[in-house]
Amino acid sequence: MGEGEGTPLLVSGSNAGFKNENFEKVFRPVLAEFVGVTVFVFVGTMVVQTNDIVSIGLAHGLMIALLIMGIGGISGGHFNPAVTLGVALNGGISISLSVLYFFAQMIGGALGAAFTRAVLPSDVYHGDMSINGGAHTLSAGVEPGWAVLCEAILTFVLVFTVLMNALDKRNQDSVLTPLAIGFAVAVDIMGGGMTTGASMNPARSFGPALAVSTFNDDVWKHHYVYWVGPALGSLVAAGIYR
């Protein structure tokens, strides 16, 4: 092959390096987060039909582990604004990219929840056999303040696991990292799922709430719990890790 032959047309010219760098470091990671959260929320809301906390926990945990194994190398495998916050506070991702991740995650959560609304029968989605769209709500008798504390502790477990296994250089090359993070999600849901739903993830809570709110606007009553709790838990995890 002669000199200059085989050069891709789309990356030729003076802006080739800049365009390729943007694609690799911005577009692909943001797209990976969008796709990952879409699939995660779809599976997470669909499994609520089982009404079995073990199945729900395992489905969420194994889905996260699979996503990290599959596309975590592209984006870092956050799939959760709370995780992105903790990683950003420890220098694992730039502030500008973390903002793009946030919007990709939220849109992905809404799309995944929309897919669930599209495929489930109405009596299962919001009717007599309702799963309330798979949205998170507080269990009867649970006070919002205690719910915030519960979500904060659960999110701390998850984010600290991510930081110690995916960000820390002593462990980041371990093949067990995806499983460790998946296990953290699973045990958190098994532990707190009957209290708050164990969200730990604003994108996982926002998407289903948005999708089902046309049938049940009460889903917004304590929705702030699923933002404040994960944010606090992530901040504490980031602080202790530093």
Side-chain angles (χ1 to χ4, degrees):
M1 182 177 290
E3 184 179 353
E5 294 181 14
T7 302
L9 295 177
L10 293 179
V11 297
S12 62
S14 60
N15 292 325
F18 177 75
K19 291 179 180 179
N20 188 58
E21 184 177 2
N22 278 343
F23 180 79
E24 294 293 335
K25 294 186 177 181
V26 179
F27 180 77
R28 287 185 70 201
V30 171
L31 181 60
E33 287 294 308
F34 167 74
V35 172
V37 176
T38 298
V39 175
F40 175 68
V41 172
F42 175 72
V43 171
T45 48
M46 290 290 289
V47 75
V48 177
Q49 299 175 83
T50 65
N51 199 32
D52 175 31
I53 196 65
V54 175
S55 297
I56 294 171
L58 287 176
H60 282 80
L62 292 176
M63 190 71 252
I64 282 292
L66 290 173
L67 287 170
I68 294 172
M69 290 175 188
I71 57 179
I74 298 174
S75 69
H78 298 187
F79 313 121
N80 181 342
V83 170
T84 298
L85 174 62
V87 173
L89 289 174
N90 281 282
I93 183 175
S94 68
I95 298 300
S96 58
L97 187 56
S98 68
V99 172
L100 294 177
Y101 272 27
F102 171 79
F103 284 107
Q105 291 159 353
M106 300 308 294
I107 296 170
L111 181 60
F115 284 149
T116 297
R117 177 171 172 172
V119 303
L120 284 182
S122 58
D123 62 333
V124 174
Y125 186 78
H126 68 91
D128 295 337
M129 301 170 61
S130 176
I131 63 168
N132 198 31
H136 292 121
T137 56
L138 305 187
S139 296
V142 176
E143 294 293 331
W146 294 115
V148 168
L149 178 60
C150 179
E151 284 292 321
I153 294 172
L154 297 176
T155 305
F156 167 81
V157 172
L158 170 59
V159 176
F160 196 67
T161 300
V162 170
L163 295 176
M164 288 303 300
N165 287 275
L167 193 64
D168 195 280
K169 293 181 180 180
R170 291 166 292 188
N171 298 315
Q172 64 184 183
D173 294 327
S174 174
V175 296
L176 296 178
T177 292
L179 290 178
I181 298 170
F183 286 158
V185 172
V187 299
D188 273 357
I189 291 175
M190 292 178 198
M194 300 301 293
T195 302
T196 64
S199 168
M200 306 163 280
N201 186 337
R204 167 64 179 85
S205 294
F206 175 77
L210 183 65
V212 80
S213 60
T214 53
F215 305 108
N216 175 20
D217 59 7
D218 284 346
V219 74
W220 298 116
K221 184 177 182 181
H222 298 121
H223 185 70
Y224 66 89
V225 166
Y226 303 104
W227 290 80
V228 177
L232 291 175
S234 182
L235 289 171
V236 173
I240 290 179
Y241 176 74
R242 289 184 70 88

